[in-house]
Amino acid sequence: MFNLISPLKMISVVLMLFGFGAIAAIYTLEKTQFSAANPYRTVMILASMYDLLLLCLAHFGWRWIWRKIPLLSSLLFPDLNGQWRMTIHWSGVDGRGEVEANAVIKQSFVSFSIEVQSDGSDSETLVVQPKKDPESGRPILYYVYRVIPKGGQDSAASSYEGAAILKFFEEDSHGLRGNYFTSRNTQGRFELQRLKT
């Protein structure tokens, strides 16, 4: 999600907040004569506390903020963390079919992954890029993954890559849907339905 906001804008906001916080803290500490002995120590303590706060917010605190201010889901990007039921519709030279799978989405303010498990294979995330559609504002995931078939000794050699564009449909019980294609010349459609967060 970090890349949904301009990095320069984010740096500017962080520096501005740090500046206001440092000025307020130093002013308060000066009144209590705490920082008179060693002002450098005071500044280092404040900087360390601020870094710890930013680290906590980037990894899990943002979810609390998103719950308290639901408008952020539509302004920035929704919280997609949780377990999802996934239906994979596929077609290729061998025919067509449908596979049921389980997906786990792990999202923080700085990272995103989608892990999928089915009876026949597991998949791992190579790249997930969250974006907003410039016209409609709909959340979109550009998802590149590697599928590792379960089974025999040569399953590692038969792994393959795929790519998908998944759109978020809030009105549809918070579902994700989109088309995909793979390096095995198969293509199809993913449909994900959230189970729990």
Side-chain angles (χ1 to χ4, degrees), residues 55-127:
L55 183 67
C56 291
L57 281 174
H59 286 283
F60 54 86
W62 71 273
R63 293 189 75 193
W64 179 82
I65 295 170
W66 257 240
R67 280 192 295 272
K68 296 294 182 190
I69 310 171
L71 182 63
L72 292 174
S73 286
S74 59
L75 287 177
L76 294 177
F77 205 82
D79 179 4
L80 300 179
N81 277 294
Q83 296 182 5
W84 299 71
R85 185 181 68 243
M86 184 175 193
T87 304
I88 305 167
H89 304 276
W90 62 272
S91 65
V93 294
D94 296 334
R96 59 181 57 235
E98 187 176 295
V99 175
E100 294 293 322
N102 294 315
V104 177
I105 296 179
K106 294 180 182 175
Q107 173 185 358
S108 75
F109 205 71
V110 293
S111 66
F112 212 114
S113 73
I114 304 173
E115 304 299 321
V116 179
Q117 293 182 339
S118 71
D119 289 339
S121 65
D122 293 332
S123 81
E124 59 190 18
T125 300
L126 298 177
V127 177

Side-chain angles (χ1 to χ4, degrees), residues 159-195:
S159 66
Y160 57 96
E161 288 72 38
I165 299 175
L166 301 173
K167 293 185 178 182
F168 181 68
F169 293 87
E170 188 172 15
E171 66 279 358
D172 198 14
S173 301
H174 300 282
L176 288 164
R177 292 193 304 264
N179 296 329
Y180 75 90
F181 63 92
T182 72
S183 60
R184 276 194 174 172
N185 293 323
T186 57
Q187 59 189 7
R189 183 165 182 78
F190 290 147
E191 294 177 0
L192 288 89
Q193 204 71 30
R194 191 193 298 265
L195 295 176

Side-chain angles (χ1 to χ4, degrees), residues 41-62:
R41 180 173 180 245
T42 303
V43 170
M44 289 305 294
I45 290 171
L46 289 173
S48 298
M49 289 171 42
Y50 189 71
D51 285 346
L52 185 61
L53 176 67
L54 285 177
L55 183 67
C56 291
L57 281 174
H59 286 283
F60 54 86
W62 71 273

Side-chain angles (χ1 to χ4, degrees), residues 28-44:
T28 304
L29 293 174
E30 282 292 332
K31 290 179 97 176
T32 61
Q33 301 298 318
F34 176 75
S35 63
N38 192 347
Y40 300 112
R41 180 173 180 245
T42 303
V43 170
M44 289 305 294

